[in-house]
Amino acid sequence: MAKQGIPMRALFGLALLTATTSFYATAQQQSSEVEDFIQEQVQEHQLDEDKVRQWLSKANKNEEVLEAIQRPWEAKPWYQYYPIFLTEKRLESGVKFWREHKDTLERAEQEYGVPAQIIVAIIGVETFYGSYMGKYSVLDSLYTLGFHYPPRSKFFRSELGEFFQLASEEGWNVSEAKGSYAGAMGFGQFISSSYRHYAVDFDGDGQRDILTNPVDAIGSVANYFAKHKWQQGQPVAQSLDESQNWKDLVSDGMKPNLKRSDIESKGYELPSHSAVNEETKVRVFEFETEQAHEYWLAYDNFYVITRYNHSPLYAMAVYQFSEQLKNEVE
């Protein structure tokens, strides 16, 4: 029913005008943001303006990308999350990958100080050893999230710029690169900035190719962890005795925040480890099970895994998978 004194047709026309005005305002804003982005690439990164415009003209908004980013696996509880990755099939493929690339993994461990099982676990969790490296156009994904997803537009716009710089450096056709809905690429699913900063030419052929070359991927994952301060010989995590009440020690964040001595002074008993002492910093994490919760003591190396994917669930899945791999190979 129309408001008193205002015909229905007039109300409909007003609504249409408001919607149309809003649409054009949004379009103008996005056009301005795109132009600012172009000038940034030209002025700050010395990319050719015509080339940047040409690349952007090939980009398309992808609604499927916008849907995917709003339902990440890391939003699941632990008991639903880990079965996605800790499977017999993935373990068998991981052992096979390890044995096929044994010499490369040993060299990576020697050069970067990162255990083979962690490298193999990462590549297994990310792409099932190259089987699932992503179906989305990297250009479309980064354009869509950079200009049509306000919650993280700044980050993805920056990654789009990194992608253009990477394409310029490597001589890529920007329309050909495929990856995840978030624009991650290759065996180890590096985003563009990580590719530029951490990918290495590990087989010495003059190219750093983590899209098709597992040797470069192994070296690049190891380099990523080394650059994020992986501590050789130090633990990742230890399970905690369920008979003690750990909940009071759980807090938001991922970086180790308490000394072991701080926890023990409150009456808690911690598991021992030959590589740590009372001054070693740790963090207590809670993971949801079907009936209750389980608790883990996490060290700096656990935090390093979260630099790859900022989720304790992800880090725990990688760690537990790495232990399965190690036990099978050894």
Side-chain angles (χ1 to χ4, degrees):
M1 180 181 293
K3 291 182 180 179
Q4 187 175 5
I6 304 179
M8 182 64 75
R9 184 180 299 175
L11 281 175
F12 177 77
L14 181 61
L16 181 61
L17 177 61
T18 301
T20 303
T21 303
S22 176
F23 171 81
Y24 281 115
T26 301
Q28 285 181 329
Q29 179 183 354
Q30 288 178 343
S31 176
S32 174
E33 290 171 348
V34 169
E35 188 61 36
D36 288 344
F37 172 82
I38 292 170
Q39 295 308 317
E40 179 183 338
Q41 300 312 304
V42 173
Q43 295 170 17
E44 294 186 21
H45 305 295
Q46 289 74 54
L47 292 182
D48 179 76
E49 183 171 342
D50 290 339
K51 182 175 285 187
V52 174
R53 291 187 184 279
Q54 180 187 16
W55 284 342
L56 282 172
S57 71
K58 298 176 181 179
N60 297 294
K61 180 182 177 183
N62 187 329
E63 293 293 342
E64 192 177 338
V65 165
L66 293 173
E67 292 171 9
I69 199 169
Q70 296 180 71
R71 44 179 170 80
W73 284 347
E74 285 73 22
K76 298 178 183 291
W78 170 246
Y79 68 89
Q80 292 180 357
Y81 181 83
Y82 78 81
I84 298 170
F85 304 104
L86 303 183
T87 66
E88 193 62 33
K89 185 178 179 182
R90 199 182 303 265
L91 180 59
E92 290 173 359
S93 296
V95 171
K96 180 182 177 184
F97 183 86
W98 191 330
R99 288 173 176 159
E100 286 178 351
H101 300 284
K102 183 174 181 291
D103 292 343
T104 300
L105 287 160
E106 287 178 356
R107 182 160 60 91
E109 190 163 348
Q110 290 170 359
E111 291 189 22
Y112 296 105
V114 181
Q117 67 264 24
I118 292 292
I119 301 169
V120 177
I122 287 287
I123 295 174
V125 166
E126 290 291 343
T127 63
F128 213 114
Y129 306 102
S131 298
Y132 308 116
M133 290 199 275
K135 65 178 182 178
Y136 299 93
S137 159
V138 173
L139 174 63
D140 289 351
S141 292
L142 296 178
Y143 168 77
T144 298
L145 297 172
F147 293 101
H148 299 279
Y149 186 62
R152 299 193 66 193
S153 60
K154 183 177 180 181
F155 170 77
F156 284 108
R157 209 171 295 175
S158 173
E159 284 303 314
L160 179 60
E162 295 279 356
F163 178 59
F164 283 172
Q165 294 165 61
L166 180 63
S168 180
E169 292 161 358
E170 304 291 335
W172 288 357
N173 180 334
V174 296
S175 300
E176 292 179 355
K178 300 290 184 183
S180 72
Y181 66 80
M185 299 171 279
F187 280 88
Q189 292 290 277
F190 277 21
I191 56 175
S192 298
S193 58
S194 293
Y195 201 126
R196 293 189 68 225
H197 293 101
Y198 306 114
V200 297
D201 171 19
F202 206 51
D203 65 358
D205 68 352
Q207 270 191 314
R208 47 179 196 165
D209 171 21
I210 64 170
L211 304 181
T212 64
N213 187 336
V215 174
D216 283 0
I218 288 168
S220 298
V221 170
N223 182 49
Y224 185 99
F225 275 86
K227 288 295 197 313
H228 284 82
K229 300 182 180 179
W230 180 271
Q231 297 180 21
Q232 188 174 16
Q234 293 293 307
V236 175
Q238 293 175 294
S239 61
L240 293 171
D241 182 356
E242 293 182 10
S243 67
Q244 301 180 77
N245 180 20
W246 300 100
K247 196 170 188 68
D248 290 344
L249 296 179
V250 177
S251 60
D252 293 336
M254 282 176 276
K255 198 166 187 177
N257 62 333
L258 295 169
K259 293 179 183 178
R260 284 175 59 100
S261 59
D262 294 335
I263 296 175
E264 290 171 329
S265 68
K266 297 178 181 179
Y268 294 93
E269 292 184 15
L270 295 178
S272 61
H273 193 287
S274 60
V276 304
N277 57 46
E278 299 307 292
E279 297 300 300
T280 302
K281 283 196 170 184
V282 294
R283 189 175 204 108
V284 175
F285 284 98
E286 177 183 76
F287 296 92
E288 185 178 354
T289 63
E290 288 190 74
Q291 284 78 36
H293 295 88
E294 60 184 56
Y295 295 88
W296 286 76
L297 192 69
Y299 294 87
D300 278 326
N301 282 342
F302 186 89
Y303 176 72
V304 173
I305 299 175
T306 67
R307 300 308 85 200
Y308 209 96
N309 179 320
H310 295 184
S311 163
L313 297 179
Y314 176 87
M316 182 54 67
V318 167
Y319 170 63
Q320 292 192 9
F321 184 40
S322 75
E323 290 295 290
Q324 290 181 350
L325 287 163
K326 181 181 177 183
N327 292 336
E328 282 291 316
V329 172
E330 292 184 349

